[in-house]
Structure formats: structure tokens, C-alpha cells
Amino acid sequence: MIDALEWRYATKKFDDQKKIDSAKIELIKKAFNLTATSYGLQPLKLVIVKDEKLKQQLFEQSYNQMQLKTASHVLVICIENTIDANFIEENFELQKQIRQAKDEVVKPFRDFLIKDFTNRDEQQIKAWGINQAYLAMGNLLTICAAEKIDSCPMEGFKAEAYDDILNLHDKGISSALVLPIGYRAEDDKFAGFKKVRRPLEETIIEF
């Protein structure tokens, strides 16, 4: 895994002739779904874009960054617009179904979460959701590195335009982060740069 993490970098230009096969995309889907999230609520959805016309539109709303145009696929990590009692209830019903948990066992934690989220305002819930999106981004970056798939984590895009292009409003979600993936182009100069990281003794504290 360390070798894989040493190998990865924020790819700025992909080889647009190389496409990720369907088996790898299925692996990425499963990895996304297995991402840890706060309280296990999974307030996220993943939009996978491979259509060339859609990618061109997203490219234009991403400050014309070449990685959007040349990527095999563009992953858009989205957050749920509504985290309310119904959303939490559905999560606990799934827990009861899969784990055969009794209602009296899950009720105290379920009631706590419903009360907690009811007391949060819209901006607080959105910020919480975006934090979960970053967890998913980190997980996908690692999975891609392990599979020798290149990637480039991105915040630089016009979220409202993405939401319109991908019709996310009707799906009850909003775009939070973008991850173009594919295979690096031979002429991407960034591929040859040495990785710059602070020394371990400056970033690790042990007791």
C-alpha cells in the first residue's frame, strides 16, 4: 500500500484513449459503498459520468481543467440534501433487517440521532455531510492507487452548474467533490515530479 501511495499523484492530464474497464468500476462502486461515515448514516451518493458530452459540459464548469476532459470517468461525490427523521428511520430499519436487531435495542440511539439532527440547522447538516464526502474521497483515492488507476481530487468546480447539468436537484442531492479517474498521459509533466511531504518527525506525535 505504501508503494501504491508513493505511485499516486494528482493527475493533471489523462490519456483519453485509455478507459477503465467495467470490473474496475464495479470495484470502485463497492469501495464507495463501504466507506466509513459518521453514525453509519451514509449521507452520500456517487454519480459516475462517462458520457463524453456530459464530461465536456462539466469541463466547462470546472475552469477548463484538462483532467475533466481527458478522464475515463468523472466521479462526483454528492451529499443528501435532507437528513431528517425519515432518513434516520430508514437507516435503522435497514439495520434491523440486516442484523435482525430488535427495535428496543436500536431505539435509544435512533431517538438520540433524530433529536440531534432536528436541533441542527441546514448549514450545520450540510457541513457534516461534506465531511463525510471527504471520507469517501480519501477512500477512493486509496482504492484507485491500489488498482493503479490515476486520479485527481478536485474542489475547483461550479457546484450549482454541476447540479443543473446532472439534474441532481430532482434526485435530492448536491455535488460536493469531484474525482476524475483514468490513466495518466505520457506527456503529463506532473507524473515525474518528486512527491513533496513534510518529514515524519514534523507530522507525527507519539506519546
Side-chain angles (χ1 to χ4, degrees), residues 45-47 49 58 76-79 81 157 159-176:
K45 288 188 178 176
L46 182 66
V47 176
V49 181
L58 298 180
V76 185
I77 301 172
C78 302
I79 59 173
N81 290 337
F157 68 101
E160 290 184 4
Y162 266 57
D163 295 351
D164 290 338
I165 292 167
L166 300 173
N167 197 27
L168 300 185
H169 304 288
D170 291 347
K171 298 175 176 62
I173 57 178
S174 301
S175 54

Side-chain angles (χ1 to χ4, degrees), residues 10-206:
T11 305
K12 300 302 183 185
K13 183 180 180 183
F14 297 93
D15 184 336
D16 59 8
Q17 298 304 305
K18 293 182 179 179
K19 303 299 180 183
I20 300 170
D21 65 41
S22 58
K24 297 280 190 183
I25 295 299
E26 286 303 312
L27 186 150
I28 286 169
K29 290 179 187 178
K30 290 177 182 178
F32 173 81
N33 203 45
L34 288 169
T35 294
T37 58
S38 180
Y39 307 123
L41 286 178
Q42 286 186 279
L44 307 172
K45 288 188 178 176
L46 182 66
V47 176
I48 303 174
V49 181
K50 65 177 181 180
D51 181 84
E52 294 299 330
K53 290 182 179 178
L54 277 178
K55 283 199 295 179
Q56 175 63 31
Q57 292 180 59
L58 298 180
F59 164 73
E60 293 168 2
Q61 300 301 326
S62 306
Y63 307 100
N64 297 333
Q65 296 182 77
M66 189 58 65
Q67 55 268 46
L68 262 295
K69 197 170 188 177
T70 57
S72 169
H73 295 68
V74 176
L75 309 183
V76 185
I77 301 172
C78 302
I79 59 173
E80 297 279 356
N81 290 337
T82 304
I83 306 295
D84 56 11
N86 287 335
F87 185 90
I88 294 169
E89 288 277 9
E90 287 177 5
N91 178 273
F92 278 87
E93 286 302 311
L94 187 61
Q95 288 190 40
K96 288 162 63 177
Q97 176 187 331
I98 293 173
R99 295 177 173 174
Q100 301 298 305
K102 295 182 179 179
D103 190 68
E104 58 265 28
V105 174
V106 301
K107 185 179 186 302
F109 189 43
R110 178 186 61 205
D111 291 350
F112 161 76
L113 287 181
I114 290 172
K115 182 179 179 181
D116 183 46
F117 278 86
T118 300
N119 289 332
R120 301 188 192 192
D121 61 33
E122 184 177 337
Q123 285 303 113
Q124 288 174 321
I125 293 175
K126 181 178 180 180
W128 172 82
I130 290 173
N131 286 343
Q132 313 316 305
Y134 277 101
L135 287 173
M137 174 76 86
N139 191 34
L140 292 177
L141 286 170
T142 301
I143 290 295
C144 285
E147 294 296 321
K148 289 295 188 285
I149 295 170
D150 288 295
S151 61
C152 183
M154 291 178 57
E155 296 175 309
F157 68 101
K158 299 176 183 177
E160 290 184 4
Y162 266 57
D163 295 351
D164 290 338
I165 292 167
L166 300 173
N167 197 27
L168 300 185
H169 304 288
D170 291 347
K171 298 175 176 62
I173 57 178
S174 301
S175 54
L177 297 169
V178 177
L179 184 65
I181 58 175
Y183 299 102
R184 64 189 67 176
E186 290 186 5
D187 61 345
D188 183 2
K189 63 182 181 180
F190 290 91
F193 287 4
K194 289 185 177 180
K195 194 176 291 293
V196 178
R197 293 292 187 274
R198 293 164 63 189
L200 279 176
E201 57 268 24
E202 292 186 13
T203 61
I204 308 296
I205 299 172
E206 296 183 271

